[in-house]
Amino acid sequence: MTAHDTSPAIDPPAAANALQLHDARPFFEKALAHGVAHGIIDAAKLAAMNTDAPKGMVQIARYFGSEFLRPELEKARDRMVNLISLFLLDTTDGDLQKAAVSLRDNSFLSRSKGGSDMLKRLIAMPESSNFGMGGYADAETPLLAVWSLRSHADYRAELARRSQIAAAISAARWMAEQYDLDDDALEESGADAEAVVRAGLLLQALAPKVGDWPNAVVFEKIATAHRKKKTTADQVRLSLPPGLPADLRDVVQAQHASVLADLPKLLDAATPLRNLLRATSSFRARYFLLDDPLAEVDDYHRNLADLDEEGDAPQPASKTWTKTVQGNEDEPSLLTLFLCLATATPKKTVLTEKTAASLVRKLRKSGWQPALAADFIRANAPGARQADYVDLWNSFVQESQATLLSDMDYQMHDALALLRRECNVVAG
């Protein structure tokens, strides 16, 4: 220290006490060392662990690959240590004393299995709130391979995320059940759970006597009726549905703010409802409505006043076609639209990678009906182009069907590559 340095001297023991060494050892190793040091785990228990550990390593290596390769056995050792650490951390809240007792009172392999069971339950939880994004059992092993080497903090964060998703799905299912809408309908439509909840809140507030979940045409009539009555957002009472289970209240309440923010625009007569409710609008994306092309066609015909009485002029594009296509009549956009129609998913002329993957999963699970797209073309496309569009669609169906329905393309690489090449698929 210099003569001008007035800072207090630091006592070496105090400085040492102020530092904490980071112990990077796996929690299992720390619990084992603690147990041995404090007489909790004796020599007999250590011998039993030494006998069980090689068995566990071989079992894990065999499950994920081969027990005959040294690298696989070394990775299996890491997996086993991490699985035991995950289980001990989760069941003892990181208490070394309790963890050491757990190792003493239970078999070594049971602690490893406990960690594996935790991860299997995590992987079984929904990863997305989109009903069309359900997983497959054959994905468990590769996911378990990844998660068996992840940290407890990663596990807890993913558990919290998936728990929120599971709660949203449960709330959406409850909402849908009030209108006799089953899981199959939600899956086929690729509905987002949050969008189902928001639409359910709107229906309860604006049309409490409606018995069936509406399509866009019916919902437009509901909103129009309120506009004619000059209903304001302040007059709409948005509340939790009667009979809603207590454990779902928070997840439903979380959607109130976004619904309240949308109400003024929905009830404002100056905002065209057709723009709000078109399939590609951001508003429509936030509220789940049944996709019913035939209902839209019927509504169009009922409201069309200037039909060509002679039938001599070429049939113009219907309003449904114009609204759906939005000027995107290039072949990739049209094939994207036709594919959505054939799989009964929301009508779009562009798909994100995630939505495209969801569509392929749904197609492979429930099949598709190419005739629906052909019928839509004949009912709505400009008369002069109908034959060309039907030929375009039929050619796509013939050339792509084997790839899209293939049960050998587990990772969907070939199917998604086909959609990127033939349809309108963008990243994001």
Side-chain angles (χ1 to χ4, degrees), residues 100-155:
V101 172
S102 178
L103 288 172
R104 180 196 68 191
D105 294 345
N106 298 277
S107 72
F108 183 80
L109 295 181
S110 73
R111 305 301 83 181
S112 175
K113 183 179 184 300
S116 177
D117 289 343
M118 279 170 52
L119 294 182
K120 287 180 179 179
R121 287 192 294 270
L122 175 73
I123 292 168
M125 295 176 72
E127 189 176 7
S128 167
S129 61
N130 186 291
F131 281 88
M133 293 288 286
Y136 290 83
D138 59 5
E140 179 181 286
T141 299
L143 287 173
L144 190 58
V146 172
W147 279 99
S148 63
L149 295 172
R150 299 287 288 273
S151 70
H152 184 254
D154 289 341
Y155 164 79

Side-chain angles (χ1 to χ4, degrees), residues 52-63 67 72-74 76-78 80 108-109:
D52 286 343
K55 297 178 184 177
M57 288 169 56
V58 170
Q59 289 175 1
I60 291 173
R62 184 185 301 129
Y63 183 83
E67 70 270 32
E72 292 294 324
L73 286 170
E74 290 176 349
R77 177 194 60 201
D78 294 340
M80 182 172 62
F108 183 80
L109 295 181

Side-chain angles (χ1 to χ4, degrees), residues 17 26 72 121 136 147 169 175-176 218 281 290 296 314-315 354 363 403:
N17 291 336
E72 292 294 324
R121 287 192 294 270
Y136 290 83
W147 279 99
I169 289 175
M175 285 280 195
V218 172
S281 75
L290 291 176
E296 295 185 5
Q315 175 190 334
K354 179 180 177 181
L363 189 152
T403 301

Side-chain angles (χ1 to χ4, degrees), residues 169-239:
I169 289 175
S170 295
R173 282 178 173 148
W174 185 89
M175 285 280 195
E177 286 172 1
Q178 311 312 303
Y179 297 86
D180 294 325
L181 196 63
D182 59 22
D183 270 14
D184 288 342
L186 296 175
E187 289 177 10
E188 289 173 5
S189 301
D192 285 325
E194 296 85 356
V196 174
V197 172
R198 286 191 286 266
L201 287 170
L202 265 186
L203 288 177
Q204 178 193 287
L206 299 180
K209 295 183 180 180
V210 168
D212 298 319
W213 201 277
N215 53 44
V217 172
V218 172
F219 188 79
E220 183 177 347
K221 292 176 179 177
I222 292 171
T224 298
H226 280 280
R227 288 183 172 195
K228 288 180 179 178
K229 295 178 183 176
K230 301 187 183 302
T231 304
T232 65
D234 293 337
Q235 295 172 322
V236 177
R237 183 187 176 195
L238 205 64
S239 58

Side-chain angles (χ1 to χ4, degrees), residues 242-265:
L244 180 69
D247 60 331
L248 301 179
R249 290 177 175 271
D250 287 346
V251 71
V252 174
Q253 184 70 50
Q255 300 302 327
H256 270 219
S258 62
V259 177
L260 287 172
D262 285 330
L263 269 174
K265 186 181 295 185

Side-chain angles (χ1 to χ4, degrees), residues 315-334:
Q315 175 190 334
S318 73
K319 290 183 178 179
T320 298
W321 177 271
T322 303
K323 180 180 72 170
T324 304
V325 173
Q326 294 288 308
N328 301 313
E329 298 197 44
D330 57 287
E331 289 189 2
S333 295
L334 290 177

